[in-house]
Amino acid sequence: MLTLYHAPNSRSSRIVRLIIELGVLDQVDIRIVGIARNDGSGGADPANPHPEGKVPLLVHDGAELWESSAIMLYLTDMFPASGLGRSVGHPDRGSYLSWLAWYGNVVEPVIVCQAAGLSHPFLDATFRGVPEVVARLTAQLETTPFLLGDRVSAADLLLISPYVWFPQSTPDVQIIRDWIARCQALPSAQATTDFDEAALQA
């Protein structure tokens, strides 16, 4: 059994959405835990084994995985039939890994720096900036409707997630907004919202 430690309406919600898209909700024990929230609510939860008290954390046969990109890669490799990932040997495997890594290494730091009003040449040189993120996404979406082609992948679910949480950070670029809308039109978007609302009411 796979075990996911999840806090509703948090970064781990995108992992719940992936699990729903994979069609393996019945194969994952999702345990609801508390976390410290940006608004000052919440706090450390002794039921959460994450070494930093965060989410998501996936446990499989005693092995712990943290960081969303690592968990998404693990799950899509474990359940390849869904087509949401790209297996070893697939011609798009390199692109898939690169999009997953680019999110954590570039996109989220850029969005956080923008939200915090931080600007410094070191930050720009290391992470790039919003214009570079927008240009990279635009260039790909001018070629394919989703990041890896004609079908949604886990990379799309990861990359749209900050714009779903913080709509105000969404670039005012129609091709990017249309991409987000295509992803959000999938039934898994509402199913994830419903899952989180039920968890909060339990």
Side-chain angles (χ1 to χ4, degrees):
M1 175 66 76
L2 292 155
T3 301
L4 176 70
Y5 291 88
H6 166 58
N9 301 327
S10 74
R11 284 175 173 83
S12 58
S13 295
R14 57 197 176 195
I15 306 301
V16 172
R17 182 173 184 183
L18 175 62
I19 290 168
I20 292 170
E21 280 284 348
L22 289 168
V24 297
L25 197 58
D26 61 337
Q27 298 181 51
V28 184
D29 176 17
I30 300 180
R31 300 186 184 179
I32 305 302
V33 296
I35 56 170
R37 303 281 182 170
N38 289 337
D39 62 3
S41 64
D45 185 343
N48 183 5
H50 191 293
E52 298 164 15
K54 295 180 177 292
V55 290
L57 178 74
L58 183 72
V59 180
H60 185 213
D61 292 340
E64 294 184 352
L65 293 94
W66 60 98
E67 298 302 325
S68 292
S69 56
I71 293 171
M72 287 186 157
L73 176 60
Y74 192 86
L75 289 173
T76 53
D77 279 356
M78 190 172 181
F79 301 103
S82 68
L84 287 165
R86 297 295 184 272
S87 299
V88 174
H90 192 286
D92 289 336
R93 175 72 171 186
S95 295
Y96 177 53
L97 298 181
S98 295
W99 285 118
L100 294 180
W102 188 65
Y103 174 79
N105 293 342
V106 176
V107 176
E108 189 160 311
V110 164
I111 291 174
V112 169
C113 286
Q114 179 191 38
L118 297 176
S119 179
H120 190 280
F122 284 179
L123 295 174
D124 294 340
T126 301
F127 302 119
R128 280 79 88 189
V130 171
E132 288 81 6
V133 168
V134 170
R136 183 70 188 87
L137 289 173
T138 299
Q140 183 59 46
L141 295 169
E142 286 175 342
T143 303
T144 56
F146 298 100
L147 295 178
L148 294 175
D150 294 331
R151 291 182 55 200
V152 72
S153 71
D156 296 286
L157 301 184
L158 181 61
L159 267 293
I160 67 161
S161 61
Y163 304 126
V164 173
W165 299 331
F166 307 113
Q168 64 270 26
S169 69
T170 303
D172 190 17
V173 177
Q174 194 59 48
I175 199 168
I176 294 177
R177 291 181 177 272
D178 289 345
W179 163 61
I180 296 168
R182 282 193 294 276
C183 293
Q184 288 301 95
L186 297 170
S188 61
Q190 186 59 52
T192 303
T193 297
D194 294 343
F195 183 95
D196 277 354
E197 288 181 354
L200 288 171
Q201 293 171 8

